[in-house]
Amino acid sequence: MTASNYRITIIDSIEQISKERWQYLAKESGPFVSYEFLHALERSGSCSNESGWQPCHIAIAQSQHGAVNLVIPGYLKTHSYGEYVFDHAWANAYAQHGLDYYPKWISAIPFTPVTGSRLLSDGHIALTPSLLSELENTLTAYVDSVFGEALSSFHWLFANESTSAQITSSGTPKPNDFSIEQLRDQSDTLNRYLTRYAVQFQWHNYGYGDFDDFLNALTSRKRKDIKKSRRKLNEQGVRFTHHTGNEISPETLQFFTKCYKATYLKRSGHVGYLNDAFFEQLVESMSENMLIVTAVENEVAVASALFFYDETGLYGRYWGALKEIDGLHFACCYFEGIEFAIEKKLSLFNPGTQGEHKILRGFEPIYCRSHHKLQHESFHTAVADFLQRETPHITSYFNQARNALPFNKEFVPTLKTTSVTAPNDDTYNHNEKNDEI
């Protein structure tokens, strides 16, 4: 079947596909590509033309009248905020040459830098090079006809291995098995997607029985540091409560949103990308996939963190505090998350973006990737050159992070992050982030 035989439809509202069909295609792909999550973003107005996140999903069917076989969550962007793959320098370069970088099209989950599938499929359609080209042509024509503007570029953010293989039309190595040569190779760049790498940090569950079991895998010094930090909070009267499903009361959610807004306002001068309506709809539609941790000091609530989870993973997303307490951020956002993941026997815990401060809490570095294609050939080539120069720094950062992991020598061979030979317990961090989890 040729690309022209498929039915490609641009969808500016997720409601144009039935919830049942979307969920069938998105099964086992995680909470963030679920109909409920994306619908809440749209219905609340968090993702709209006004917010710079115009829904622009793609639905593909094998026949003109058959059921949709493949959906791709996508958005037209008029800025680069909330993506966590930073291309502001590319936009500035366009502007300096009198060109428009926006609108651009991205396949991503808004405000959610979590690796996952961007191709939600029933298995009947593969994204071949010809179909991908047809998809790009359809998007370009759509933006021109509906908005009267030229689409500058296509971006696939935080794509998993399967999606990456189809976008790049080649086998993609497993996340932590990249060689420098593989990472740097951006040859034959014209008409091909460029791959950009970044490093995040994840905690892996190696069959721990409880939190102390996890601590026993660390060096004695780091184990003592964490115990001391948690004991100090306990002596100050700080306690934590977990709320999931029906336990997430209106009062629990309202306190979380209060903390979320206060922290964003202090850090960025605005109350956050997401509004009350978004969080309220999530509690209505997917509370069984939500965890809210509330920190209480001497019976007074002082901080809160929101996580999402499914049968395999826990994902830390947002947090806020009304009072600054030493060690509270790490306890609320990381250690409570680890406790929950161990209790629920979840295989991984992705605590969010940003990073060095996570290493010494037992979070291992992983590579994540995005793919980019700029329609202006000269800029596409320039970005390819930039990525060739950027990538060795990414690999160096990964290796430094790997070698700073605080696990004891006996446990090192167990780690997902292979080839760690001498964890360095003398690594210090002087720029610990305290905004997003």
Side-chain angles (χ1 to χ4, degrees):
M1 181 178 288
T2 64
S4 60
N5 295 129
Y6 291 109
R7 184 180 84 245
I8 302 176
T9 307
I10 306 298
I11 295 172
D12 61 9
S13 169
I14 195 172
E15 292 181 351
Q16 294 170 14
I17 294 182
S18 72
K19 175 182 176 179
E20 292 73 23
R21 189 60 183 172
W22 186 288
Q23 287 297 80
Y24 175 75
L25 297 172
K27 62 182 181 297
E28 300 179 358
S29 294
F32 302 115
V33 294
S34 69
Y35 184 94
E36 288 89 351
F37 188 85
L38 298 178
H39 185 244
L41 285 169
E42 294 184 22
R43 187 176 180 184
S44 67
S46 299
C47 285
S48 64
N49 189 44
E50 290 73 21
S51 70
W53 283 90
Q54 171 62 44
C56 190
H57 313 306
I58 300 168
I60 305 177
Q62 284 183 305
S63 65
Q64 294 301 312
H65 303 289
V68 172
N69 303 105
L70 170 67
V71 293
I72 303 169
Y75 300 85
L76 291 179
K77 292 298 303 296
T78 54
H79 55 68
S80 292
Y81 297 106
E83 299 174 15
Y84 301 96
V85 176
F86 302 104
D87 61 353
H88 298 89
W90 305 356
N92 291 338
Y94 266 66
Q96 290 168 6
H97 288 80
L99 300 173
D100 293 325
Y101 188 63
Y102 306 107
K104 62 179 182 178
W105 179 84
I106 68 170
S107 179
I109 309 305
F111 321 112
T112 308
V114 174
T115 292
S117 177
R118 302 295 174 255
L119 303 171
L120 311 180
S121 173
D122 61 7
H124 290 95
I125 294 179
L127 195 62
T128 62
S130 61
L131 180 54
L132 180 56
S133 178
E134 185 72 18
L135 183 155
E136 293 164 359
N137 291 337
T138 301
L139 280 168
T140 300
Y142 171 81
V143 173
D144 178 61
S145 64
V146 175
F147 299 98
E149 296 186 89
L151 189 63
S152 76
S153 48
F154 310 95
H155 309 263
W156 302 73
L157 310 185
F158 298 98
N160 67 0
E161 185 177 345
S162 175
T163 299
S164 290
Q166 294 186 61
I167 295 301
T168 60
S169 299
S170 62
T172 304
K174 293 182 180 180
N176 290 326
D177 290 344
F178 301 103
S179 68
I180 291 179
E181 290 74 18
Q182 287 171 317
L183 287 168
R184 294 182 65 178
D185 183 17
Q186 303 284 355
S187 60
D188 187 22
T189 59
L190 292 181
N191 300 315
R192 293 190 59 183
Y193 276 87
L194 307 174
T195 300
R196 189 177 193 182
Y197 297 91
V199 175
Q200 288 186 341
F201 300 88
Q202 288 187 359
W203 178 89
H204 297 281
N205 190 347
Y206 295 103
Y208 301 119
D210 53 29
F211 193 84
D212 285 336
D213 197 15
F214 158 65
L215 290 181
N216 288 334
L218 307 180
T219 63
S220 60
R221 175 177 165 179
K222 182 47 58 181
R223 183 164 60 248
K224 291 176 182 177
D225 286 347
I226 293 175
K227 286 184 175 180
K228 180 180 179 181
S229 174
R230 301 184 89 201
R231 183 171 60 251
K232 182 178 178 181
L233 286 172
N234 187 63
E235 291 170 352
Q236 291 179 244
V238 176
R239 304 289 186 271
F240 300 93
T241 58
H242 293 189
H243 311 268
T244 63
N246 294 332
E247 298 168 351
I248 303 177
S249 67
E251 294 74 22
T252 299
L253 180 64
Q254 288 168 9
F255 181 72
F256 162 75
T257 56
K258 181 180 180 180
C259 293
Y260 167 79
K261 292 175 185 177
T263 297
Y264 254 101
L265 187 62
K266 179 180 179 180
R267 183 189 69 190
S268 306
H270 63 85
V271 294
Y273 297 112
L274 305 170
N275 55 32
D276 289 350
F278 169 72
F279 293 114
E280 289 167 1
Q281 184 171 338
L282 286 185
V283 172
E284 290 180 8
S285 61
M286 56 182 301
S287 63
E288 295 301 323
N289 295 103
M290 297 171 64
L291 162 69
I292 293 181
V293 174
T294 303
V296 176
E297 181 189 36
N298 298 320
E299 309 307 320
V300 177
V302 293
S304 186
L306 172 62
F307 306 75
F308 294 85
Y309 67 100
D310 56 16
E311 62 277 3
T312 59
L314 176 68
Y315 309 91
R317 292 308 309 128
Y318 304 103
W319 111 290
L322 303 183
K323 181 179 181 179
E324 292 189 11
I325 300 175
D326 187 42
L328 180 61
H329 175 239
F330 302 126
C332 189
C333 298
Y334 304 148
F335 301 145
E336 291 303 306
I338 290 173
E339 291 254 27
F340 184 84
I342 293 174
E343 176 190 346
K344 297 294 185 181
K345 294 181 171 54
L346 304 178
S347 62
L348 67 87
F349 170 25
N350 181 331
T353 192
Q354 302 173 345
E356 291 87 353
H357 56 289
K358 298 181 177 74
I359 301 170
L360 298 185
R361 278 84 190 175
F363 292 83
E364 302 173 49
I366 63 164
Y367 283 112
C368 50
R369 62 178 81 81
S370 57
H371 306 289
H372 311 270
K373 185 176 181 181
L374 288 70
Q375 302 220 64
H376 193 291
E377 289 187 358
S378 295
F379 277 100
H380 187 79
T381 302
V383 168
D385 179 68
F386 165 77
L387 294 178
Q388 282 187 320
R389 289 181 281 109
E390 178 188 61
T391 301
H393 297 288
I394 300 299
T395 60
S396 176
Y397 177 68
F398 176 89
N399 289 329
Q400 290 176 28
R402 178 184 60 191
N403 291 329
L405 287 168
F407 293 91
N408 63 55
K409 294 180 179 179
E410 292 73 20
F411 199 81
V412 164
T414 308
L415 300 179
K416 301 284 186 180
T417 312
T418 57
S419 304
V420 180
T421 56
N424 181 2
D425 201 29
D426 296 322
T427 301
Y428 294 90
N429 175 66
H430 299 287
N431 187 29
E432 294 185 337
K433 302 289 184 178
N434 195 34
D435 36 346
E436 184 179 332
I437 291 181

